[in-house]
Amino acid sequence: MENAILLNNLSPAELEEIIKKAVKTQLEEFKKNNGNPDELLTRSEACSYLKINMTTLWNWSKKGKIISYGIGNRVYYKKYELLESLVRLN
């Protein structure tokens, strides 16, 4: 009975509070491990993230499948938008 959880003398409000704390802790850990979704990625970082080569990234950008941003001669991609551009396959 090492892993047993006893709920004796625990009100529903107390149980709810315990669950909220546990979910909040897990959510914070998840956010910390996954980084900022609005993070800007360079071309090489975007290729590594999507596991594609530069030619594919350029083609997808040219066709409008993914959105690219630039400043000067640098090109960036938003991590969140890369994930959003993925489509579900049947």
Side-chain angles (χ1 to χ4, degrees), residues 42-87:
T42 63
R43 286 184 286 194
S44 59
E45 290 171 338
C47 287
S48 296
Y49 186 67
L50 295 173
K51 296 180 175 73
I52 58 174
N53 63 31
M54 287 280 200
T55 306
T56 304
L57 186 68
W58 183 80
N59 284 330
W60 288 355
S61 295
K62 185 178 173 185
K63 292 177 182 177
K65 290 184 177 187
I66 57 175
I67 301 168
S68 60
Y69 299 90
I71 184 166
N73 62 348
R74 296 177 183 255
V75 178
Y76 296 100
Y77 299 89
K78 289 185 180 179
K79 192 175 196 179
Y80 173 77
E81 290 178 352
L82 292 176
L83 288 175
E84 286 293 311
S85 67
L86 298 175
V87 294

